[in-house]
Amino acid sequence: MKKILQKLTTLAVAAALPLALAAGVQAADKVRIGVEGAYPPFSSVDADGKLVGFDIEIAHALCEEMKVECELVAQDWDGIIPGLLARKYDAIIASMSITEERKKKVDFSAKYYNTPARFVRKKGSGIEIDDASLSGKTVGVQRGTIHDNFISGEFDGKLDIKYYGTQDEAYLDMAAGRIDLLFADSVAMDDGFLKTDSGKDFEFVGPSYSDPKYFGEGAGIAIRKQDNDLRDNFSAAIKAIRANGVYQKINEKYFPYDIYGAE
C-alpha cells in the first residue's frame, strides 16, 4: 500500500510540473509596473481616467522592446516602494531617482533620464535664494522625494518646510498663495505648473541643483533586489530604445530637448 501511495504521489507531481512551468512562462510574459499618476508631464490621469505621460509611454515602449505585456498599477508615492516589496507589482517606473539610500531597499536599472531641480517663486515677489531673503519664507516639497531630502538637508532652519503627498497638491497651494516657494524637478515644474494657466504668474529662481549626494544618478526603474534578470532586461531595453529612436520620439512629444542627460 505504501509503495502504491508513493507511486501516486510521484505521478501527481509529474503531472503538476508542466502546469507549474506553464504558469511560470505565462507570468514572465507580463510585467506589472507601479506608476504614480500624479506627476505631470511624467505621469497623470487624463479626463477619461487613462494614465498618460512620459513615464507611461516609456513603460509601454520598454515592455514592447522586452516582448512582454505591461500591466500598469497606480500607487501613491508614499507607498510605492513598500508596494514593490509586497509584490503588488514587479517594477516601478515613476521618475524615481537612483540614490544610495534607496539602493538599501531596492535595485535599479540603468537611468532613463536625468534632470536638475530648481526653486519656483511668484513673479514680482523679489525672493532670492539667500539667507536674508529666505528668512520667514515657506517652501513646498513633495514628501519622501530627493527634493525633500535636499531641502531638509540644506535649508532646514533657513526655510519653513511644508510637505505634500503629491506634486499637484503643492502646485495648488503655490497658486493659492499659501506657500512662497516650490522646490522640485525643473522639467516637471516647467511643464506641470509654469506652462499652465495656474502657473503663469510664477517663475524659476536661483541655480539648478544636481548634487549626486541628494539627487543620485538620474531616474531609474526600481526592481526587487533578487530580480536580477528583470533589472538587466530593463537596462538592455533602455539602451535599445535609445539606439532605435523610440526614446527620442517619446521625448519629443513632451520636451523640446533630450532629458536623458549626459551619456
Side-chain angles (χ1 to χ4, degrees):
M1 186 66 167
K2 186 175 180 182
K3 288 182 178 180
I4 293 172
L5 288 173
Q6 287 176 337
K7 186 174 182 180
L8 288 173
T9 301
T10 302
L11 289 171
V13 170
L17 187 57
L19 295 175
L21 289 173
V25 171
Q26 186 177 17
D29 288 340
K30 178 185 285 189
V31 176
R32 296 166 301 156
I33 297 176
V35 298
E36 185 184 5
Y39 193 59
F42 293 95
S43 69
S44 59
V45 180
D46 68 12
D48 296 324
K50 183 181 177 182
L51 285 160
V52 295
F54 178 81
D55 281 347
I56 306 305
E57 293 201 37
I58 287 292
H60 284 297
L62 294 175
C63 285
E64 185 174 345
E65 181 63 36
M66 293 159 58
K67 295 180 173 52
V68 297
E69 179 187 347
C70 263
E71 179 184 332
L72 301 184
V73 181
Q75 170 67 55
D76 291 343
W77 180 260
D78 286 351
I80 206 161
I81 287 180
L84 175 68
L85 299 180
R87 297 185 174 274
K88 287 178 65 176
Y89 31 83
D90 308 303
I92 297 170
I93 300 183
S95 293
M96 181 174 285
S97 294
I98 305 164
T99 66
E100 293 304 316
E101 186 64 26
R102 287 174 180 149
K103 284 180 183 178
K104 295 175 184 177
K105 297 179 180 179
V106 297
D107 207 349
F108 284 94
S109 71
K111 73 169 186 177
Y112 66 98
Y113 80 85
N114 192 9
T115 52
R118 293 192 72 181
F119 284 98
V120 159
R121 68 180 178 187
K122 187 169 185 178
K123 293 176 181 177
S125 67
I127 298 174
E128 300 294 340
I129 309 304
D130 57 54
D131 290 350
S133 185
L134 294 180
S135 179
K137 301 297 189 299
T138 300
V139 62
V141 66
Q142 187 177 2
R143 181 174 56 245
T145 62
I146 53 173
H147 309 102
D148 172 359
N149 293 340
F150 176 79
I151 290 293
S152 300
E154 298 294 324
F155 287 87
D156 188 29
K158 300 176 183 178
L159 279 165
D160 293 328
I161 306 170
K162 188 169 183 180
Y163 300 97
Y164 295 90
T166 70
Q167 196 61 45
D168 282 344
E169 291 172 3
Y171 295 154
L172 288 172
D173 265 13
M174 187 69 178
R178 287 188 281 267
I179 54 178
D180 304 297
L181 292 161
L182 282 171
F183 187 76
D185 180 87
S186 58
V187 173
M189 286 199 294
D190 191 28
D191 282 75
F193 183 60
L194 296 181
K195 290 178 180 176
T196 69
D197 287 342
S198 298
K200 63 185 179 182
D201 294 327
F202 298 85
E203 64 186 357
F204 286 121
V205 60
S208 296
Y209 298 90
S210 56
D211 183 350
K213 174 184 174 182
Y214 295 104
F215 300 104
E217 307 159 28
I221 299 165
I223 308 290
R224 287 183 293 273
K225 281 185 173 290
Q226 65 269 31
D227 293 342
N228 297 333
D229 288 345
L230 185 58
R231 176 202 64 204
D232 294 344
N233 288 344
F234 269 119
S235 293
I238 292 167
K239 186 176 181 180
I241 66 170
R242 286 286 296 171
N244 65 21
V246 170
Y247 182 101
Q248 288 78 359
K249 288 179 181 178
I250 297 171
N251 189 109
E252 287 167 5
K253 287 180 63 175
Y254 296 93
F255 313 111
Y257 49 87
D258 186 356
I259 67 166
Y260 182 80
E263 296 285 352

